Amino acid sequence: MRAGRLTFGFDTVRAAALEGSVCLLMTASDLSPKTTKEADFLAEKHRLPLLHLPMTMAEIGYAIGKKTGVIAITDAGLSKRLMELQQMPPDEA
């Protein structure tokens, strides 16, 4: 977040997706069904990779300092690495 490679909050993420600056979209596990559906649609519409994280909004808030359910990574290298880590078994990450 300090490096400016993270955008959060659905409206802010949607605006960044419209600008074409989002490389990866992530959602919290306890996001409302309506917002989850909107995030899924946004990812599909803009052909963005989407990760449904196994973290709650509170856990994400603890990690980044801001409680949120929708996060976008705007750095291609960072998003690629996060996708690679998602594919690895937990003992290899």
Side-chain angles (χ1 to χ4, degrees), residues 10-32:
F10 186 79
D11 292 335
T12 307
V13 168
R14 180 177 42 206
L18 290 172
E19 292 174 359
S21 61
V22 174
C23 299
L24 174 64
L25 183 62
M26 300 181 291
T27 60
S29 62
D30 61 344
L31 198 60
S32 74

Side-chain angles (χ1 to χ4, degrees), residues 33-83:
K34 179 181 181 265
T35 306
T36 299
K37 185 176 179 179
E38 290 175 349
D40 291 344
F41 177 77
L42 183 67
E44 185 177 325
K45 180 179 178 183
H46 294 280
R47 297 183 181 153
L48 300 170
L50 175 65
L51 288 178
H52 294 287
L53 300 173
M55 300 171 67
T56 65
M57 287 188 272
E59 291 169 329
I60 292 169
Y62 182 77
I64 67 169
K66 182 78 172 176
K67 185 177 175 182
T68 187
V70 181
I71 304 167
I73 304 296
T74 58
D75 179 77
L78 179 59
S79 65
K80 180 181 176 186
R81 182 63 182 144
L82 289 172
M83 292 296 290

